[in-house]
Amino acid sequence: MTQLTEDRFAFGGELLPLEEAQARIAQTFACRTGVEIVALRDALGRVLARDILAPIDLPPFANSAVDGYAVRHSDLQPDRPTLLPLHGKTFAGHVPSQPLPAGMAARVFTGAMLPAGADTVQMQEDCEQRDDGVLIRPGLGMGANRRLAGEDVARGARALEGGRRLMPPEIGLLAALGMERLPVHARLRVALFSTGDELVEPPALRAAGQIYDANRAMLSALLVRLGAVVEDGGILPDDPGLTRSRLRTAASRSDLVLTSGGVSTGEGDHVRAAIEAIGELTFWRVAIKPGRPVALGQVEGTPLLGVPGNPVAAQITFSLIGRPLLDRLSGASYQAPVRFFANSGFAHRKKPGRREYLRVLADSAGVVQRYPKDGAGILTSLTQTNALAELPEAMTQVSPGDPIPCIALALLHG
């Protein structure tokens, strides 16, 4: 893009495409956290600061994947059953007392180390044990039911890459490798505000025209699930001077400032103007619905993201713009949510030019139904659905039976 085009997308009448907004985040911002060492038991949700190389083979020795009989494959007849005398028995956690002689079979159990010389295991269900040995059926492939040493991860190989957010599967892998302490990025410090005279902190009494603040609780939960440390800044009143002062102070002691509300063009919207007055605006107005008025910039060198005040728009813009920003600042590798296709169970018309996200309920037959209430302030449209139907910018109509891309809401919640 030329500078003129960039300025028009960021601040003028045209809307910035979502992918361009995400690319702008990657180009503009860098990791803001240091590195610390934590115990594995405390590593859930943390971001690896460097690659982890496997200190051992996984598994560390060849073992049986089933309860059965270990054999030398070369001893088996290819076209008829083979009767092999039994020689030894090994349970998981024990070492075979001796190698497996040619022409014999050893009783083994799941996870047991294979005796030297054994290269194949027949499941006990497919064998016939006799007084004089065990009868092995024909057709058993070489290496069947055998786990080789290092077949999962070889010693010295990269087990996990730096930038990976550690979730339960990663924790399990690291435990299997014998890891006890890990280098991770420090937790991102996020100052969180809601804005608007209409908001009241629960459970205070509401005056006429006021509502309880839902966004701060929702956004805080999303941030915590992503490993951030949240500093609750409370509710900012509709006062431009106070907004600038509070945002500047928050920027001086945090890694990210996150606000909801106050980013549109109304007389009571002061967040975007504050960014321009005391900092630098990176972009404003993204081509998505809901969530068009989203502002990203920097104050005192600290990123400041302002998401819309309507709760559904706040959730969606945080997931699509805030999440990649948070990952960038915390050293994590951003992974776009996986899309799946489902058949539409509804009809819908939209205007071209914006990507639209409809809250839908996907069933086991692969059909999605649109939630009947569609406003950007309808919180039940998030709690009573399980996916977002993602309608591309050029699409103008959806008919029943049309395949449409969707994103599972669970993937957007951290």
Side-chain angles (χ1 to χ4, degrees), residues 70-123:
V71 300
R72 294 173 180 262
H73 190 265
S74 59
D75 289 335
L76 303 180
Q77 299 296 322
D79 55 356
R80 63 182 185 275
T82 304
L83 180 64
L84 299 173
L86 288 177
H87 180 86
K89 179 186 296 186
T90 307
F91 292 91
H94 297 267
V95 177
S97 59
Q98 53 188 309
L100 179 67
M104 305 194 80
R107 183 77 163 107
V108 292
F109 297 88
T110 303
M113 179 183 291
L114 293 181
D119 55 25
T120 302
V121 180
Q122 177 69 292
M123 294 178 64

Side-chain angles (χ1 to χ4, degrees), residues 6 9 37 40 46 63 94 112 124-125 141 160 207 239 297 306 338-339 350 354 365-366 372 406 414:
E6 289 179 353
F9 272 137
I37 304 298
L40 180 64
R46 305 299 295 272
N63 67 90
H94 297 267
Q124 62 185 20
E125 296 92 330
L160 291 173
D239 181 312
V338 176
R339 272 76 171 172
K350 66 177 282 290
R354 291 170 67 185
C406 299

Side-chain angles (χ1 to χ4, degrees), residues 253-274:
R253 62 187 188 210
S254 61
D255 301 308
L256 169 67
V257 179
L258 176 62
T259 69
S260 67
V263 290
S264 192
T265 56
E267 292 184 20
D269 295 319
H270 304 300
V271 171
R272 179 177 67 89

Side-chain angles (χ1 to χ4, degrees), residues 11-132:
F11 313 119
E14 295 191 40
L15 303 178
L16 188 68
L18 177 60
E19 283 78 12
E20 178 59 27
Q22 294 173 340
R24 198 81 62 87
I25 288 170
Q27 295 162 3
T28 306
F29 301 98
C31 178
R32 292 176 60 89
T33 59
V35 177
E36 59 189 19
I37 304 298
V38 301
L40 180 64
R41 65 178 178 272
D42 299 322
L44 182 64
R46 305 299 295 272
V47 177
L48 274 179
R50 61 170 174 81
D51 291 352
I52 298 296
L53 304 183
I56 61 171
D57 283 330
L58 187 65
F61 50 83
N63 67 90
S64 177
V66 297
D67 292 347
Y69 296 88
V71 300
R72 294 173 180 262
H73 190 265
S74 59
D75 289 335
L76 303 180
Q77 299 296 322
D79 55 356
R80 63 182 185 275
T82 304
L83 180 64
L84 299 173
L86 288 177
H87 180 86
K89 179 186 296 186
T90 307
F91 292 91
H94 297 267
V95 177
S97 59
Q98 53 188 309
L100 179 67
M104 305 194 80
R107 183 77 163 107
V108 292
F109 297 88
T110 303
M113 179 183 291
L114 293 181
D119 55 25
T120 302
V121 180
Q122 177 69 292
M123 294 178 64
Q124 62 185 20
E125 296 92 330
D126 296 330
C127 300
E128 181 183 339
Q129 187 167 347
R130 300 179 174 181
D131 292 339
D132 54 350

Side-chain angles (χ1 to χ4, degrees), residues 53-285:
L53 304 183
I56 61 171
D57 283 330
L58 187 65
F61 50 83
N63 67 90
S64 177
V66 297
D67 292 347
Y69 296 88
V71 300
R72 294 173 180 262
H73 190 265
S74 59
D75 289 335
L76 303 180
Q77 299 296 322
D79 55 356
R80 63 182 185 275
T82 304
L83 180 64
L84 299 173
L86 288 177
H87 180 86
K89 179 186 296 186
T90 307
F91 292 91
H94 297 267
V95 177
S97 59
Q98 53 188 309
L100 179 67
M104 305 194 80
R107 183 77 163 107
V108 292
F109 297 88
T110 303
M113 179 183 291
L114 293 181
D119 55 25
T120 302
V121 180
Q122 177 69 292
M123 294 178 64
Q124 62 185 20
E125 296 92 330
D126 296 330
C127 300
E128 181 183 339
Q129 187 167 347
R130 300 179 174 181
D131 292 339
D132 54 350
V134 62
L135 192 65
I136 307 294
R137 294 180 183 177
L140 185 63
M142 167 66 182
N145 303 312
R146 173 189 61 172
R147 299 169 178 151
L148 290 171
E151 72 173 14
D152 192 350
V153 184
R155 180 178 181 177
R158 186 173 69 175
L160 291 173
E161 69 279 5
R164 174 75 74 97
R165 192 176 297 279
L166 299 175
M167 303 310 288
E170 288 81 5
I171 298 294
L173 174 59
L174 292 167
L177 290 170
M179 304 292 294
E180 196 277 329
R181 299 184 68 78
L182 305 166
V184 298
H185 287 282
R187 295 184 186 275
L188 201 72
R189 300 167 301 159
V190 182
L192 177 62
F193 297 90
S194 289
T195 68
D197 290 342
E198 75 278 13
L199 299 179
V200 176
E201 183 75 21
L205 293 176
R206 293 181 298 108
Q210 290 187 312
I211 59 173
Y212 287 126
D213 180 15
N215 283 355
R216 226 162 73 253
M218 179 179 67
L219 293 171
S220 179
L222 289 166
L223 290 166
V224 169
R225 289 192 65 172
L226 292 170
V229 176
V230 179
E231 177 186 319
D232 189 352
I235 300 169
L236 289 175
D238 290 328
D239 181 312
L242 183 59
T243 297
R244 290 193 296 268
S245 174
R246 295 279 298 279
L247 294 182
R248 179 185 281 118
T249 299
S252 68
R253 62 187 188 210
S254 61
D255 301 308
L256 169 67
V257 179
L258 176 62
T259 69
S260 67
V263 290
S264 192
T265 56
E267 292 184 20
D269 295 319
H270 304 300
V271 171
R272 179 177 67 89
I275 299 174
E276 292 179 304
I278 61 176
E280 176 184 358
L281 193 63
T282 303
F283 62 74
W284 176 60
R285 288 165 48 93

